[in-house]
Coordinates of all heavy atoms in Angstrom, one line a residue:
M1 N 6.8 9.1 -22.0 CA 7.5 9.0 -20.8 C 6.5 9.4 -19.7 O 5.7 10.3 -19.8 CB 8.7 10.0 -20.8 CG 9.5 9.9 -19.5 SD 11.1 10.6 -19.6 CE 11.9 9.4 -20.6
L2 N 6.6 8.7 -18.6 CA 5.7 8.9 -17.4 C 6.6 9.0 -16.2 O 7.5 8.3 -15.9 CB 4.8 7.6 -17.2 CG 4.0 7.5 -16.0 CD1 2.9 8.6 -16.0 CD2 3.3 6.2 -15.9
F3 N 6.3 10.1 -15.4 CA 6.9 10.3 -14.1 C 5.9 10.1 -13.0 O 4.7 10.5 -13.2 CB 7.5 11.7 -14.1 CG 8.6 11.9 -15.0 CD1 8.4 12.5 -16.2 CD2 9.9 11.5 -14.7 CE1 9.4 12.7 -17.1 CE2 10.9 11.7 -15.6 CZ 10.7 12.3 -16.8
I4 N 6.3 9.5 -12.0 CA 5.4 9.2 -10.9 C 5.8 9.9 -9.6 O 7.0 9.8 -9.2 CB 5.2 7.7 -10.7 CG1 4.8 7.0 -11.9 CG2 4.3 7.3 -9.5 CD1 4.8 5.5 -11.9
D5 N 4.9 10.5 -8.9 CA 5.2 11.2 -7.7 C 4.8 10.3 -6.5 O 3.7 9.9 -6.4 CB 4.4 12.5 -7.6 CG 4.6 13.2 -6.2 OD1 5.5 12.8 -5.5 OD2 3.8 14.2 -6.0
Y6 N 5.8 9.8 -5.7 CA 5.6 8.9 -4.7 C 5.3 9.5 -3.3 O 5.3 8.9 -2.3 CB 6.8 7.9 -4.6 CG 6.8 6.9 -5.7 CD1 7.7 7.0 -6.7 CD2 5.9 5.9 -5.7 CE1 7.7 6.1 -7.7 CE2 5.9 4.9 -6.7 CZ 6.8 5.1 -7.7 OH 6.8 4.2 -8.8
S7 N 5.2 10.9 -3.3 CA 4.9 11.5 -2.0 C 3.5 11.0 -1.5 O 2.6 10.8 -2.3 CB 4.8 13.0 -2.1 OG 3.8 13.4 -3.0
S8 N 3.4 10.7 -0.2 CA 2.2 10.1 0.4 C 1.8 8.8 -0.2 O 0.7 8.4 -0.2 CB 1.1 11.1 0.3 OG 1.4 12.3 1.0
A9 N 2.8 8.1 -0.7 CA 2.5 6.8 -1.4 C 1.9 5.8 -0.5 O 1.0 5.1 -0.9 CB 3.8 6.3 -2.1
F10 N 2.4 5.7 0.7 CA 1.9 4.6 1.6 C 0.4 4.9 1.9 O -0.3 3.9 2.3 CB 2.7 4.6 2.9 CG 4.1 4.2 2.8 CD1 5.0 4.4 3.8 CD2 4.6 3.6 1.6 CE1 6.4 4.0 3.6 CE2 5.9 3.2 1.4 CZ 6.8 3.4 2.5
N11 N -0.1 6.1 1.8 CA -1.5 6.4 2.1 C -2.4 5.8 1.0 O -3.6 5.8 1.2 CB -1.7 7.9 2.2 CG -1.0 8.5 3.3 OD1 -0.7 7.8 4.3 ND2 -0.7 9.7 3.3
T12 N -1.8 5.4 -0.1 CA -2.7 4.9 -1.3 C -3.0 3.4 -1.2 O -3.7 2.9 -2.0 CB -2.0 5.2 -2.6 OG1 -0.8 4.5 -2.7 CG2 -1.7 6.7 -2.8
I13 N -2.4 2.7 -0.2 CA -2.6 1.3 -0.2 C -4.1 1.0 0.2 O -4.6 1.5 1.2 CB -1.7 0.6 0.9 CG1 -0.2 0.7 0.4 CG2 -2.0 -0.9 1.1 CD1 0.8 0.3 1.4
V14 N -4.7 0.1 -0.5 CA -6.1 -0.3 -0.2 C -5.9 -1.7 0.4 O -5.6 -2.6 -0.4 CB -7.0 -0.3 -1.4 CG1 -8.4 -0.8 -1.1 CG2 -7.1 1.1 -2.0
P15 N -6.1 -1.9 1.7 CA -5.8 -3.2 2.3 C -6.5 -4.4 1.7 O -5.9 -5.4 1.5 CB -6.3 -3.0 3.7 CG -6.1 -1.5 4.0 CD -6.5 -0.9 2.7
S16 N -7.8 -4.3 1.3 CA -8.5 -5.4 0.7 C -7.9 -5.8 -0.6 O -7.7 -7.0 -0.9 CB -10.0 -5.1 0.5 OG -10.1 -4.0 -0.3
K17 N -7.4 -4.8 -1.4 CA -6.8 -5.2 -2.7 C -5.4 -5.8 -2.5 O -5.0 -6.7 -3.2 CB -6.7 -3.9 -3.6 CG -8.0 -3.5 -4.1 CD -7.9 -2.3 -5.0 CE -9.2 -1.8 -5.5 NZ -9.1 -0.7 -6.5
L18 N -4.7 -5.2 -1.5 CA -3.4 -5.8 -1.2 C -3.5 -7.2 -0.7 O -2.7 -8.1 -1.2 CB -2.7 -5.0 0.0 CG -1.4 -5.5 0.5 CD1 -0.3 -5.6 -0.6 CD2 -0.9 -4.7 1.7
V19 N -4.4 -7.5 0.1 CA -4.6 -8.9 0.6 C -5.0 -9.8 -0.5 O -4.5 -11.0 -0.6 CB -5.6 -8.9 1.8 CG1 -6.0 -10.4 2.1 CG2 -5.0 -8.3 3.0
T20 N -5.8 -9.4 -1.5 CA -6.1 -10.2 -2.6 C -4.9 -10.5 -3.4 O -4.7 -11.7 -3.8 CB -7.2 -9.5 -3.5 OG1 -8.3 -9.2 -2.8 CG2 -7.5 -10.2 -4.8
K21 N -4.0 -9.5 -3.6 CA -2.8 -9.8 -4.3 C -1.9 -10.8 -3.6 O -1.3 -11.6 -4.2 CB -2.0 -8.5 -4.5 CG -2.6 -7.5 -5.5 CD -1.8 -6.3 -5.7 CE -2.5 -5.3 -6.6 NZ -1.6 -4.3 -7.1
L22 N -1.8 -10.6 -2.3 CA -1.0 -11.5 -1.5 C -1.5 -12.9 -1.6 O -0.7 -13.9 -1.7 CB -0.9 -11.0 0.0 CG -0.3 -9.7 0.2 CD1 -0.4 -9.3 1.7 CD2 1.2 -9.7 -0.2
R23 N -2.8 -13.1 -1.5 CA -3.3 -14.4 -1.6 C -3.0 -15.0 -3.0 O -2.7 -16.2 -3.1 CB -4.8 -14.4 -1.3 CG -5.1 -14.2 0.1 CD -6.6 -14.5 0.5 NE -6.7 -14.5 1.9 CZ -7.5 -13.6 2.6 NH1 -8.2 -12.7 2.0 NH2 -7.5 -13.7 3.9
D24 N -3.1 -14.2 -4.0 CA -2.8 -14.6 -5.4 C -1.3 -15.1 -5.5 O -1.0 -15.9 -6.3 CB -3.1 -13.5 -6.4 CG -4.6 -13.3 -6.6 OD1 -5.4 -14.1 -6.2 OD2 -4.9 -12.3 -7.2
L25 N -0.5 -14.4 -4.7 CA 1.0 -14.8 -4.7 C 1.2 -16.0 -3.9 O 2.4 -16.5 -3.8 CB 1.8 -13.6 -4.2 CG 1.9 -12.4 -5.1 CD1 2.5 -11.3 -4.3 CD2 2.7 -12.8 -6.3
G26 N 0.2 -16.6 -3.2 CA 0.3 -17.8 -2.4 C 0.7 -17.6 -1.0 O 1.2 -18.5 -0.3
I27 N 0.6 -16.3 -0.5 CA 0.9 -16.0 0.9 C -0.1 -16.7 1.8 O -1.3 -16.7 1.6 CB 0.9 -14.5 1.2 CG1 1.9 -13.8 0.2 CG2 1.2 -14.2 2.6 CD1 3.3 -14.2 0.4
N28 N 0.4 -17.2 2.9 CA -0.4 -17.9 3.9 C -1.7 -17.1 4.3 O -1.5 -15.9 4.6 CB 0.4 -18.2 5.2 CG -0.3 -18.9 6.3 OD1 -1.1 -18.3 6.9 ND2 0.0 -20.2 6.5
S29 N -2.8 -17.7 4.4 CA -4.1 -17.1 4.7 C -4.1 -16.4 6.0 O -4.6 -15.3 6.2 CB -5.2 -18.0 4.6 OG -6.5 -17.4 4.8
A30 N -3.5 -17.0 7.0 CA -3.4 -16.4 8.4 C -2.6 -15.1 8.3 O -3.0 -14.2 9.0 CB -2.8 -17.4 9.4
L31 N -1.5 -15.1 7.6 CA -0.7 -13.9 7.5 C -1.5 -12.8 6.7 O -1.4 -11.7 7.1 CB 0.6 -14.2 6.8 CG 1.6 -13.0 6.6 CD1 1.9 -12.4 7.9 CD2 2.8 -13.5 5.8
C32 N -2.2 -13.2 5.7 CA -3.0 -12.2 5.0 C -4.0 -11.6 5.9 O -4.3 -10.4 5.9 CB -3.7 -12.9 3.8 SG -2.6 -13.3 2.4
D33 N -4.7 -12.4 6.7 CA -5.7 -11.9 7.7 C -5.0 -11.0 8.7 O -5.6 -9.9 9.1 CB -6.3 -13.1 8.4 CG -7.2 -13.9 7.5 OD1 -7.6 -13.4 6.4 OD2 -7.6 -15.0 7.9
W34 N -3.8 -11.3 9.1 CA -3.1 -10.5 10.1 C -2.8 -9.1 9.5 O -3.0 -8.1 10.1 CB -1.8 -11.2 10.6 CG -1.1 -10.4 11.6 CD1 -1.2 -10.4 12.9 CD2 0.0 -9.4 11.3 NE1 -0.4 -9.5 13.5 CE2 0.4 -8.9 12.6 CE3 0.6 -8.9 10.2 CZ2 1.3 -7.9 12.7 CZ3 1.5 -7.9 10.3 CH2 1.9 -7.4 11.5
I35 N -2.3 -9.1 8.2 CA -2.0 -7.9 7.5 C -3.2 -7.0 7.3 O -3.2 -5.8 7.6 CB -1.3 -8.2 6.2 CG1 0.1 -8.7 6.4 CG2 -1.2 -6.9 5.3 CD1 0.8 -9.3 5.2
L36 N -4.4 -7.6 7.0 CA -5.6 -6.9 6.8 C -6.0 -6.3 8.2 O -6.4 -5.1 8.2 CB -6.7 -7.8 6.3 CG -8.0 -7.2 6.0 CD1 -7.9 -6.1 4.9 CD2 -9.1 -8.2 5.6
N37 N -5.9 -7.0 9.2 CA -6.2 -6.5 10.6 C -5.3 -5.4 10.9 O -5.7 -4.4 11.5 CB -6.0 -7.7 11.6 CG -7.3 -8.0 12.3 OD1 -8.3 -7.5 12.0 ND2 -7.1 -9.0 13.2
F38 N -4.0 -5.5 10.6 CA -3.0 -4.5 10.9 C -3.3 -3.2 10.2 O -3.1 -2.1 10.7 CB -1.6 -5.0 10.5 CG -0.5 -4.0 10.7 CD1 -0.1 -3.5 11.9 CD2 0.1 -3.5 9.5 CE1 0.9 -2.6 12.0 CE2 1.2 -2.6 9.7 CZ 1.6 -2.2 10.9
L39 N -3.8 -3.2 9.0 CA -4.0 -2.1 8.1 C -5.4 -1.4 8.3 O -5.6 -0.3 7.8 CB -3.7 -2.4 6.7 CG -2.3 -2.8 6.3 CD1 -2.2 -3.1 4.8 CD2 -1.3 -1.6 6.7
T40 N -6.3 -2.1 8.9 CA -7.7 -1.5 9.0 C -8.0 -1.2 10.4 O -7.5 -1.9 11.4 CB -8.7 -2.5 8.4 OG1 -8.6 -3.7 9.0 CG2 -8.5 -2.6 6.9
G41 N -8.9 -0.2 10.6 CA -9.4 0.1 11.9 C -8.4 0.8 12.8 O -8.5 0.7 14.0
R42 N -7.4 1.5 12.2 CA -6.3 2.1 13.0 C -6.8 3.5 13.5 O -7.1 4.3 12.6 CB -5.0 2.2 12.2 CG -4.3 0.9 12.0 CD -3.1 1.0 11.1 NE -3.4 1.4 9.8 CZ -3.1 2.6 9.2 NH1 -2.5 3.5 9.9 NH2 -3.4 2.8 8.0
P43 N -6.8 3.8 14.8 CA -7.2 5.1 15.2 C -6.1 6.1 15.0 O -4.9 5.7 15.2 CB -7.5 4.9 16.7 CG -6.7 3.7 17.1 CD -6.6 2.8 15.9
Q44 N -6.4 7.3 14.7 CA -5.4 8.3 14.5 C -5.9 9.7 15.0 O -7.1 10.0 14.9 CB -5.1 8.5 13.0 CG -4.2 9.7 12.7 CD -3.9 9.8 11.2 OE1 -3.5 8.9 10.6 NE2 -4.1 11.0 10.7
A45 N -5.0 10.4 15.7 CA -5.3 11.7 16.2 C -4.0 12.5 16.1 O -2.9 12.0 15.9 CB -5.7 11.6 17.7
V46 N -4.2 13.8 16.0 CA -3.1 14.8 15.9 C -3.0 15.6 17.1 O -4.0 16.1 17.6 CB -3.3 15.7 14.6 CG1 -2.2 16.7 14.6 CG2 -3.4 14.9 13.4
R47 N -1.8 15.7 17.7 CA -1.6 16.5 18.9 C -0.6 17.7 18.5 O 0.4 17.5 17.9 CB -1.0 15.7 20.0 CG -0.7 16.5 21.2 CD -0.1 15.7 22.4 NE -0.9 14.5 22.6 CZ -0.3 13.3 23.0 NH1 1.0 13.3 23.3 NH2 -1.0 12.3 23.2
M48 N -1.0 18.9 18.9 CA -0.2 20.1 18.7 C -0.2 20.8 20.1 O -1.2 21.3 20.5 CB -0.7 21.0 17.7 CG -0.6 20.5 16.3 SD -1.1 21.6 15.0 CE 0.2 22.9 15.2
G49 N 1.0 20.7 20.7 CA 1.1 21.2 22.1 C 0.2 20.5 23.0 O 0.3 19.3 23.1
S50 N -0.7 21.2 23.7 CA -1.6 20.5 24.6 C -3.0 20.2 24.0 O -3.9 19.7 24.7 CB -1.8 21.4 25.8 OG -2.4 22.6 25.5
T51 N -3.1 20.5 22.7 CA -4.4 20.3 22.0 C -4.4 19.0 21.2 O -3.4 18.8 20.4 CB -4.8 21.5 21.1 OG1 -4.7 22.7 21.9 CG2 -6.1 21.3 20.5
T52 N -5.4 18.1 21.3 CA -5.4 16.9 20.6 C -6.7 16.9 19.8 O -7.8 17.2 20.3 CB -5.4 15.7 21.5 OG1 -4.2 15.7 22.3 CG2 -5.4 14.4 20.7
S53 N -6.7 16.5 18.5 CA -7.8 16.4 17.7 C -8.7 15.2 18.1 O -8.3 14.4 18.8 CB -7.4 16.3 16.2 OG -6.9 15.0 16.0
S54 N -9.9 15.2 17.5 CA -10.7 14.0 17.7 C -10.1 12.8 17.0 O -9.4 13.0 16.0 CB -12.2 14.3 17.3 OG -12.2 14.6 15.9
T55 N -10.4 11.6 17.4 CA -9.9 10.4 16.7 C -10.6 10.1 15.5 O -11.8 10.2 15.4 CB -9.9 9.2 17.7 OG1 -9.2 9.6 18.9 CG2 -9.3 8.0 17.1
L56 N -9.9 9.7 14.5 CA -10.4 9.3 13.2 C -9.9 7.8 12.9 O -8.7 7.5 13.2 CB -9.9 10.2 12.1 CG -10.3 9.9 10.6 CD1 -11.8 10.1 10.5 CD2 -9.6 10.8 9.7
T57 N -10.8 7.0 12.5 CA -10.4 5.6 12.2 C -10.0 5.4 10.7 O -10.8 5.8 9.9 CB -11.5 4.6 12.5 OG1 -11.9 4.8 13.9 CG2 -11.1 3.2 12.3
L58 N -8.8 5.0 10.5 CA -8.3 4.8 9.1 C -8.5 3.4 8.6 O -8.2 2.4 9.4 CB -6.8 5.2 9.1 CG -6.4 6.6 9.5 CD1 -4.9 6.8 9.5 CD2 -7.1 7.6 8.6
N59 N -8.9 3.2 7.4 CA -9.0 1.9 6.8 C -8.3 1.8 5.4 O -8.5 0.9 4.6 CB -10.5 1.6 6.6 CG -11.2 1.3 7.9 OD1 -10.7 0.5 8.7 ND2 -12.2 2.0 8.2
T60 N -7.4 2.8 5.2 CA -6.5 2.8 4.0 C -5.2 3.2 4.4 O -5.0 3.8 5.5 CB -7.0 3.7 2.9 OG1 -7.0 5.0 3.4 CG2 -8.4 3.3 2.4
G61 N -4.2 2.9 3.6 CA -2.8 3.3 3.9 C -2.1 2.4 4.8 O -2.7 1.4 5.4
A62 N -0.8 2.6 5.0 CA 0.0 1.9 5.9 C 0.7 2.9 6.8 O 1.0 4.1 6.4 CB 1.1 1.1 5.1
P63 N 1.0 2.6 8.0 CA 1.6 3.5 9.0 C 2.9 4.1 8.5 O 3.8 3.3 8.1 CB 1.7 2.8 10.3 CG 0.8 1.6 10.1 CD 0.7 1.3 8.7
Q64 N 3.1 5.4 8.6 CA 4.4 6.0 8.2 C 5.4 5.6 9.3 O 5.1 5.6 10.5 CB 4.3 7.5 8.2 CG 3.3 8.0 7.1 CD 3.7 7.7 5.7 OE1 4.9 7.9 5.4 NE2 2.8 7.3 4.9
G65 N 6.6 5.2 8.9 CA 7.6 4.8 9.9 C 7.6 3.4 10.2 O 8.5 2.9 10.9
C66 N 6.6 2.6 9.8 CA 6.5 1.2 10.1 C 7.5 0.4 9.2 O 7.5 0.7 8.0 CB 5.1 0.7 10.0 SG 4.9 -1.1 10.1
V67 N 8.2 -0.5 9.7 CA 9.2 -1.2 8.9 C 8.5 -2.1 7.8 O 9.1 -2.3 6.8 CB 10.1 -2.1 9.8 CG1 9.3 -3.3 10.4 CG2 11.3 -2.6 9.1
L68 N 7.3 -2.4 8.0 CA 6.6 -3.2 7.0 C 6.0 -2.4 5.8 O 5.8 -2.9 4.7 CB 5.4 -4.0 7.6 CG 5.7 -5.1 8.5 CD1 4.4 -5.7 9.1 CD2 6.4 -6.2 7.6
S69 N 5.8 -1.1 6.0 CA 5.1 -0.2 5.0 C 5.8 -0.2 3.7 O 5.1 -0.4 2.7 CB 5.0 1.2 5.6 OG 4.1 1.2 6.7
P70 N 7.1 -0.1 3.5 CA 7.7 -0.1 2.2 C 7.5 -1.4 1.5 O 7.2 -1.5 0.3 CB 9.2 0.1 2.5 CG 9.3 0.8 3.8 CD 8.1 0.3 4.6
L71 N 7.6 -2.5 2.2 CA 7.4 -3.9 1.6 C 5.9 -4.0 1.2 O 5.7 -4.4 0.0 CB 7.7 -5.0 2.6 CG 7.4 -6.4 2.2 CD1 8.2 -6.8 0.9 CD2 7.6 -7.4 3.3
L72 N 5.0 -3.6 2.0 CA 3.6 -3.7 1.7 C 3.3 -2.8 0.5 O 2.5 -3.2 -0.4 CB 2.7 -3.4 2.9 CG 2.8 -4.3 4.1 CD1 2.0 -3.8 5.2 CD2 2.4 -5.7 3.7
Y73 N 3.8 -1.6 0.4 CA 3.6 -0.7 -0.7 C 4.2 -1.4 -2.0 O 3.5 -1.3 -3.0 CB 4.2 0.6 -0.5 CG 4.0 1.6 -1.6 CD1 2.8 2.1 -1.9 CD2 5.1 1.8 -2.5 CE1 2.6 3.0 -3.0 CE2 4.9 2.7 -3.6 CZ 3.6 3.2 -3.8 OH 3.4 4.0 -4.9
S74 N 5.4 -1.9 -1.9 CA 6.0 -2.5 -3.1 C 5.1 -3.7 -3.6 O 4.9 -3.8 -4.8 CB 7.4 -3.1 -2.8 OG 8.2 -2.0 -2.5
L75 N 4.6 -4.5 -2.7 CA 3.7 -5.6 -3.1 C 2.4 -5.0 -3.7 O 1.9 -5.6 -4.6 CB 3.4 -6.5 -1.9 CG 4.6 -7.3 -1.5 CD1 4.3 -8.0 -0.1 CD2 5.1 -8.3 -2.5
F76 N 1.9 -3.9 -3.1 CA 0.7 -3.4 -3.6 C 0.8 -2.8 -5.1 O -0.1 -2.9 -5.8 CB 0.2 -2.2 -2.7 CG -1.1 -1.6 -3.0 CD1 -2.3 -2.4 -3.0 CD2 -1.2 -0.3 -3.5 CE1 -3.5 -1.8 -3.3 CE2 -2.4 0.3 -3.8 CZ -3.6 -0.5 -3.7
I77 N 1.9 -2.3 -5.4 CA 2.1 -1.7 -6.7 C 2.9 -2.6 -7.7 O 3.4 -2.2 -8.7 CB 2.8 -0.3 -6.7 CG1 4.2 -0.4 -6.1 CG2 2.0 0.7 -5.9 CD1 5.1 0.7 -6.5
H78 N 2.8 -3.9 -7.4 CA 3.5 -4.9 -8.1 C 3.4 -4.7 -9.6 O 2.4 -4.3 -10.1 CB 3.0 -6.3 -7.8 CG 3.8 -7.4 -8.2 ND1 3.6 -8.1 -9.3 CD2 4.9 -8.0 -7.6 CE1 4.5 -9.0 -9.5 NE2 5.3 -9.0 -8.4
M79 N 4.5 -4.9 -10.4 CA 4.5 -4.5 -11.8 C 3.4 -5.2 -12.6 O 3.1 -4.7 -13.7 CB 5.9 -4.9 -12.4 CG 7.0 -3.9 -12.1 SD 6.6 -2.2 -12.7 CE 6.7 -2.5 -14.5
H80 N 2.9 -6.3 -12.2 CA 1.9 -7.0 -13.0 C 0.6 -6.1 -13.2 O -0.2 -6.4 -14.0 CB 1.5 -8.3 -12.4 CG 2.6 -9.3 -12.5 ND1 3.1 -9.8 -13.6 CD2 3.4 -9.8 -11.5 CE1 4.1 -10.7 -13.4 NE2 4.3 -10.6 -12.1
D81 N 0.5 -5.1 -12.4 CA -0.7 -4.1 -12.5 C -0.5 -3.2 -13.7 O -1.4 -2.7 -14.2 CB -0.8 -3.3 -11.3 CG -1.4 -4.1 -10.1 OD1 -1.9 -5.2 -10.3 OD2 -1.2 -3.6 -9.0
C82 N 0.7 -3.0 -14.1 CA 1.0 -2.1 -15.2 C 1.1 -2.9 -16.5 O 1.8 -3.9 -16.6 CB 2.4 -1.4 -15.0 SG 2.4 -0.4 -13.5
V83 N 0.3 -2.5 -17.4 CA 0.2 -3.3 -18.7 C 0.3 -2.3 -19.9 O -0.3 -1.2 -19.9 CB -1.2 -4.0 -18.8 CG1 -1.3 -4.7 -20.1 CG2 -1.4 -4.9 -17.6
A84 N 1.1 -2.6 -20.8 CA 1.3 -1.8 -22.0 C 0.1 -2.1 -22.9 O -0.1 -3.3 -23.4 CB 2.6 -2.1 -22.7
T85 N -0.8 -1.2 -23.1 CA -2.1 -1.5 -23.9 C -2.0 -1.2 -25.3 O -2.9 -1.4 -26.1 CB -3.2 -0.7 -23.3 OG1 -2.9 0.7 -23.3 CG2 -3.5 -1.1 -21.8
H86 N -0.9 -0.6 -25.8 CA -0.7 -0.4 -27.2 C 0.7 -1.0 -27.6 O 1.6 -1.0 -26.9 CB -0.7 1.1 -27.5 CG -0.7 1.5 -29.0 ND1 0.4 1.6 -29.7 CD2 -1.8 1.7 -29.8 CE1 0.1 1.8 -30.9 NE2 -1.2 1.9 -31.0
S87 N 0.8 -1.5 -28.8 CA 2.0 -2.2 -29.2 C 3.2 -1.4 -29.2 O 4.3 -1.9 -29.1 CB 1.8 -2.8 -30.6 OG 1.5 -1.8 -31.6
S88 N 3.0 0.0 -29.3 CA 4.2 0.9 -29.3 C 4.7 1.2 -27.9 O 5.7 1.9 -27.7 CB 3.9 2.1 -30.1 OG 2.9 2.9 -29.5
N89 N 3.9 0.8 -26.9 CA 4.2 1.1 -25.5 C 5.0 0.0 -24.9 O 4.8 -1.2 -25.1 CB 3.0 1.3 -24.7 CG 2.2 2.5 -25.1 OD1 2.7 3.4 -25.7 ND2 0.9 2.6 -24.7
T90 N 6.0 0.3 -24.1 CA 6.7 -0.7 -23.3 C 6.8 -0.2 -21.9 O 6.8 1.0 -21.6 CB 8.1 -0.9 -23.9 OG1 8.9 0.4 -23.8 CG2 8.1 -1.4 -25.3
I91 N 7.0 -1.2 -21.0 CA 7.2 -0.8 -19.6 C 8.5 -1.4 -19.1 O 8.8 -2.6 -19.3 CB 6.0 -1.4 -18.7 CG1 4.7 -0.8 -19.1 CG2 6.3 -1.2 -17.2 CD1 3.5 -1.4 -18.5
D92 N 9.4 -0.5 -18.6 CA 10.7 -0.9 -18.2 C 10.7 -0.7 -16.7 O 10.3 0.4 -16.2 CB 11.8 -0.1 -18.8 CG 11.9 -0.4 -20.3 OD1 11.7 -1.6 -20.7 OD2 12.1 0.5 -21.1
Q93 N 11.3 -1.7 -15.9 CA 11.4 -1.6 -14.5 C 12.9 -1.3 -14.2 O 13.7 -2.1 -14.6 CB 10.9 -2.8 -13.8 CG 11.0 -2.7 -12.3 CD 10.3 -3.9 -11.6 OE1 9.9 -4.9 -12.3 NE2 10.3 -3.9 -10.3
I94 N 13.2 -0.3 -13.4 CA 14.5 0.0 -13.0 C 14.7 -0.3 -11.6 O 14.0 0.2 -10.7 CB 14.9 1.5 -13.3 CG1 14.7 1.8 -14.7 CG2 16.3 1.8 -12.8 CD1 14.7 3.3 -15.0
C95 N 15.6 -1.2 -11.3 CA 15.8 -1.6 -9.9 C 17.2 -1.3 -9.5 O 18.1 -1.4 -10.1 CB 15.5 -3.1 -9.7 SG 13.8 -3.6 -10.0

């Protein structure tokens, strides 16, 4: 039995791998390019009160609170990545 912790899950998306999967699924190339653009080179800073941190550029993950993030994460972890490598192992998907 395997349990998976999905906390900070959206941070695990690797945009280049996601776009490869989307292209393999037959998604329009222009849309794949837009998604790659959307997920890479995003500036991030943290503000606490009147203090703001320096900006860091993110090239992994999907923005928290973005309506696309759950869909992109679902496509990123698509079940075809999980393979039972021993004949006694099975993979069941619960939806």
Side-chain angles (χ1 to χ4, degrees):
M1 182 165 286
L2 172 69
F3 293 97
I4 301 173
D5 177 9
Y6 287 104
S7 61
S8 301
F10 294 165
N11 296 336
T12 64
I13 296 173
V14 179
S16 59
K17 290 182 179 182
L18 172 62
V19 168
T20 298
K21 290 180 181 195
L22 295 176
R23 287 192 171 118
D24 290 346
L25 290 170
I27 303 297
N28 179 289
S29 183
L31 179 57
C32 290
D33 292 342
W34 182 87
I35 291 171
L36 185 61
N37 244 359
F38 174 68
L39 293 177
T40 56
R42 291 178 290 113
Q44 174 179 310
V46 176
R47 182 181 309 151
M48 289 184 68
S50 61
T51 306
T52 303
S53 70
S54 57
T55 301
L56 177 68
T57 301
L58 300 178
N59 289 307
T60 59
Q64 300 293 319
C66 174
V67 71
L68 286 177
S69 295
L71 173 63
L72 294 176
Y73 179 74
S74 294
L75 292 169
F76 183 67
I77 63 161
H78 195 264
M79 279 303 288
H80 293 290
D81 289 343
C82 299
V83 179
T85 58
H86 190 273
S87 60
S88 67
N89 294 342
T90 60
I91 298 174
D92 295 319
Q93 182 176 2
I94 301 170
C95 294

